[in-house]
């Protein structure tokens, strides 16, 4: 486990040409620096074995407002496993580091493993911790039925991303707020980058989701069809989407509805600073939200009650 040691080394590598030019070094001097960089890198490998950097056993990287991150955060909170969370500004990770959130870093033996993609993270938690946790992690058991529904819930999560961005990108202040530009918990430099790079980030997001009128219509049609189905599943006062016991699919459906429902308790106390309501939800988004709330009363109540029961209190 190397902690920040590799980061410092990478910064040194980037600075090498500047050092060579700035000090007007000879070829021998430049070669000496290359040798130093190699030795340093070797030292980092050795240090990972001899004196590993102290790292939390489980660290979850998130974006405060991310609904996929909330899916995993909720399951981690419910599992009672000890973990720490590291939040970054919206879109910065994907466009500057090429990764999505949630991302889980876990100490696995002598090394630290990184797992992306929320379903894969939940499978890891189940596989790694279920046997030693008694029944506490039964809600994570990946049955065939749960896996099939989870896949469709995740698809709904992607359609909601299309829906959100189609509306939100036209509203700079709102989008920046949800990405964390006003969140005092984010490093100041990240907030500054979000503001300075907004036009670029907006263009990249529009391209990544291939945003267009027809794409938006298609996403909304799919969201409607899926919510119709969830609404039917909950008719007659049913308390869970599958069977009688709550499972990770219920928490996933509730968490992934965050972009439109944003229930009180979303984030378990870790996303309050980016609540969309604080920036004023754009009227065209609000119209869709009002329509969904009116058309899906059972599902709306299910999500809100689940949040009240499970995530009403902020986690320390
Ligand atoms: N299939 C992925 C989807 C994750 C995803 O789309 N995450 C979004 C946030 S909700 C993301 O990382 N966007 C890039 C960014 O904002 O940096 C999962 O289930 O984890």
């Amino acid at each position: 486990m190397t902690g920040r040691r590799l980061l410092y080394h990478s910064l040194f590598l980037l600075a090498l040409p500047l050092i060579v030019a700035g000090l007007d070094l000879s070829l021998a001097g430049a070669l000496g620096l290359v040798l130093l960089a190699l030795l340093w890198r070797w030292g980092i490998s050795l240090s990972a074995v001899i004196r590993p950097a102290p790292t939390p056993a489980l660290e979850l990287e998130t974006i405060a407002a991310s609904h996929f991150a909330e899916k995993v955060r909720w399951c981690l909170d419910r599992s009672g496993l000890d973990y720490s969370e590291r939040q970054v500004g919206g879109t910065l990770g994907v466009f500057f580091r090429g990764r999505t959130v949630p991302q889980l870093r876990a100490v696995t033996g002598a090394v630290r493993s990184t797992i992306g993609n929320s379903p894969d993270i939940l499978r890891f938690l189940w596989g790694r911790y279920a046997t030693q946790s008694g029944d506490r992690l039964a809600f994570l058991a990946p049955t065939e039925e749960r896996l099939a529904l989870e896949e469709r819930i995740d698809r709904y999560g992607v359609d909601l991303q299309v829906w959100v961005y189609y509306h939100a990108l036209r509203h700079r202040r709102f989008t920046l707020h949800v990405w964390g530009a006003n969140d005092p918990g984010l490093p100041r430099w990240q907030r500054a980058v979000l503001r300075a790079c907004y036009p670029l980030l907006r263009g990249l997001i529009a391209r990544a989701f291939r945003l267009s009128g027809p794409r938006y219509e298609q996403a909304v049609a799919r969201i409607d069809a899926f919510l119709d189905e969830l609404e039917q599943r909950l008719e007659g006062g049913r308390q869970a989407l599958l069977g009688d016991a709550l499972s990770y699919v219920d928490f996933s459906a509730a968490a992934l509805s965050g972009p439109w429902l944003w229930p009180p308790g979303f984030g378990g106390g870790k996303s309050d600073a980016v609540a969309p309501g604080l920036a004023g939800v754009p009227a065209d988004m609000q119209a869709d939200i009002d329509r969904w709330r009116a058309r899906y009363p059972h599902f709306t109540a299910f999500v809100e009650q689940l949040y009240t029961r499970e995530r009403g209190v902020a986690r320390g």
Side-chain angles (χ1 to χ4, degrees):
M1 278 158 284
T2 54
R4 290 185 157 258
R5 293 167 199 170
L6 273 178
L7 172 69
Y8 298 135
H9 184 261
S10 303
L11 291 176
F12 175 69
L13 286 184
L14 285 177
L16 269 184
L18 300 177
I19 298 172
V20 171
L23 299 179
D24 203 12
L25 291 183
S26 64
L27 182 62
L31 279 173
L33 278 180
V34 170
L35 194 62
L36 178 70
L38 286 170
L39 281 173
W40 184 354
R41 181 63 187 83
W42 182 41
I44 291 173
S45 296
L46 289 181
S47 77
V49 181
I50 296 163
R51 237 185 58 180
T55 42
L58 288 175
E59 185 182 48
L60 186 67
E61 187 166 324
T62 67
I63 291 166
S66 159
H67 55 338
F68 281 105
E70 169 68 353
K71 166 183 165 183
V72 171
R73 185 196 283 126
W74 188 337
C75 290
L76 272 167
D77 287 343
R78 197 171 204 267
S79 70
L81 294 167
D82 197 26
Y83 74 99
S84 59
E85 178 169 336
R86 200 164 76 85
Q87 297 192 340
V88 292
T91 71
L92 296 180
V94 72
F95 296 133
F96 295 111
R97 283 172 48 208
R99 65 97 190 87
T100 55
V101 294
Q103 198 174 67
L104 185 75
R105 297 202 190 88
V107 175
T108 48
V111 297
R112 204 175 188 215
S113 305
T114 302
I115 309 163
N117 204 33
S118 59
D120 295 319
I121 297 174
L122 297 192
R123 292 313 84 78
F124 168 78
L125 293 174
W126 162 256
R128 170 73 179 75
Y129 295 104
T131 50
Q132 66 195 50
S133 306
D135 278 348
R136 199 154 39 86
L137 262 63
F139 74 95
L140 282 178
T143 65
E144 207 175 308
E145 210 183 12
R146 287 177 182 176
L147 290 174
L149 185 54
E150 180 186 27
E151 204 175 310
R152 300 181 58 226
I153 292 171
D154 287 349
R155 174 75 248 174
Y156 158 73
V158 175
D159 285 329
L160 279 169
Q161 285 171 319
V162 172
W163 171 76
V164 161
Y165 281 126
Y166 183 78
H167 285 300
L169 291 183
R170 276 169 278 176
H171 304 276
R172 181 179 191 276
R173 205 175 68 85
F174 176 78
T175 306
L176 280 173
H177 168 79
V178 176
W179 281 347
N182 304 323
D183 182 352
L186 275 191
R188 209 178 282 265
W189 70 265
Q190 286 194 23
R191 289 185 269 152
V193 170
L194 283 173
R195 287 182 195 287
C197 297
Y198 183 74
L200 171 70
L201 298 172
R202 186 182 63 176
L204 289 172
I205 277 282
R207 189 161 178 128
F209 284 106
R210 291 177 287 111
L211 294 182
S212 65
R215 179 116 167 89
Y216 165 79
E217 303 289 342
Q218 182 199 44
V220 170
R222 276 205 298 240
I223 293 168
D224 282 347
F226 190 57
L227 287 174
D228 277 336
E229 181 191 320
L230 296 185
E231 183 73 4
Q232 274 171 28
R233 278 179 190 264
L234 293 167
E235 268 166 14
R238 285 192 49 198
Q239 298 295 311
L241 291 171
L242 292 173
D244 295 325
L246 287 173
S247 74
Y248 74 89
V249 290
D250 297 289
F251 311 133
S252 300
L256 291 187
S257 301
W260 66 276
L261 265 173
W262 198 272
F266 183 94
K270 293 177 180 159
S271 309
D272 297 347
V274 298
L278 294 177
V281 176
D284 42 1
M285 271 178 100
Q286 191 61 50
D288 281 341
I289 295 170
D290 293 343
R291 183 172 66 79
W292 283 330
R293 277 184 172 278
R295 190 162 152 182
Y296 305 112
H298 292 111
F299 182 69
T300 301
F302 170 73
V303 172
E304 290 181 340
Q305 282 163 16
L306 212 49
Y307 262 97
T308 305
R309 281 207 311 271
E310 295 258 341
R311 288 176 88 55
V313 181
R315 190 174 180 274

